[in-house]
Amino acid sequence: QPVTTNVNAPTAVALDHNECLFVAESINNRVLVYSQSGQYTDTISGLSRPISVAVDNNVRVYIGNKDSGNVEVYDVDYNLLFKLGTGDGEFTQPNDIAIDNGTGTIYIADKGEDTVKVYNADGTYNKSIGSSGNGNGELHNPSSVEIDGAAGELVVLDHQLTQDMSGNWIDGARIQFFDMNGVFKRSFSKYGNQVGQMFRPQHVTIDDQSRLYVTDSFHNVVIVYDNIGTYLGDVY
């Protein structure tokens, strides 16, 4: 059954390794916590417009706050441990968070700065992947980042600029693949409003067979591709 208790306007969700659910509510400045069975258990409050959330294998909770431009890290009891990098103002829009549970490395898709920022497990800055642009390895408004553990790849959803029928440049849709060090490998772009195309893609996630699931707010479906861009179907 859907989780509805206390839920008002969910912005982003995450699961821990026990399948407990964490729900970020941007307009309410909080993250709601639910058990595996969907029972409400706790709230992380006092946030600053949270737009992304992730949980690592140690049940540390990572929350990206848009208004304060930070990613806060909480322990298993939801006490604040630290903020990534320099803290407030480190990010323009920390839109999505991915964590390599093998190394503890943290990847943040900063949509406002056209890059994926990389941090060590202790929260110190490591490097950035990509820069503003339309070419291979460059990023335009990256909205989601995910790790394909089976393939050992970093997958980034961005909105590569494309021309409409009138010749105007508009946000499109592209999936790019990098190795775990941030070296570009390949990409595919399926922008459009037809079946099998992305029109308003928001986030991407990946299963253990390297299939990609892309939420599309125009089509109101989750579009499924393999990791070379072959369209497999939709989840309605």
Side-chain angles (χ1 to χ4, degrees), residues 178-234:
F178 301 81
D179 68 19
M180 296 307 293
N181 293 316
V183 177
F184 173 81
K185 297 180 70 174
R186 66 188 183 281
S187 69
F188 68 86
S189 178
K190 290 183 177 291
Y191 176 75
N193 59 10
Q194 303 301 311
V195 172
Q197 295 179 317
M198 300 176 284
F199 197 72
R200 291 289 182 268
Q202 304 297 322
H203 283 80
V204 60
T205 193
I206 303 167
D207 68 13
D208 58 6
Q209 297 182 46
S210 297
R211 290 177 295 206
L212 280 64
Y213 300 79
V214 181
T215 55
D216 193 295
S217 62
F218 176 83
H219 294 294
N220 293 320
V221 299
V222 177
I223 308 170
V224 188
Y225 303 98
D226 67 15
N227 71 351
I228 59 172
T230 304
Y231 169 67
L232 301 177
D234 293 316

Side-chain angles (χ1 to χ4, degrees), residues 78-116:
Y78 312 134
N79 299 307
L80 179 64
L81 293 173
F82 54 85
K83 301 174 184 180
L84 297 187
T86 58
D88 294 353
E90 178 78 0
F91 308 93
T92 300
Q93 186 170 331
N95 218 65
D96 199 16
I97 304 167
I99 303 166
D100 184 341
N101 282 307
T103 65
T105 305
I106 307 149
Y107 300 84
I108 311 294
D110 193 332
K111 188 174 182 180
E113 297 187 19
D114 292 336
T115 189
V116 173

Side-chain angles (χ1 to χ4, degrees), residues 121-179:
D122 63 0
T124 56
Y125 175 78
N126 184 310
K127 62 184 175 183
S128 292
I129 299 171
S131 59
S132 296
N134 249 18
N136 290 337
E138 297 176 331
L139 298 171
H140 177 71
N141 291 344
S143 60
S144 188
V145 58
E146 185 62 277
I147 295 170
D148 183 350
E153 294 178 333
L154 193 68
V155 182
V156 181
L157 166 65
D158 79 328
H159 299 265
Q160 180 186 38
L161 289 171
T162 186
Q163 287 184 295
D164 63 15
M165 296 182 64
S166 300
N168 299 311
W169 289 98
I170 58 173
D171 279 2
R174 173 175 60 173
I175 302 285
Q176 296 196 74
F177 299 82
F178 301 81
D179 68 19

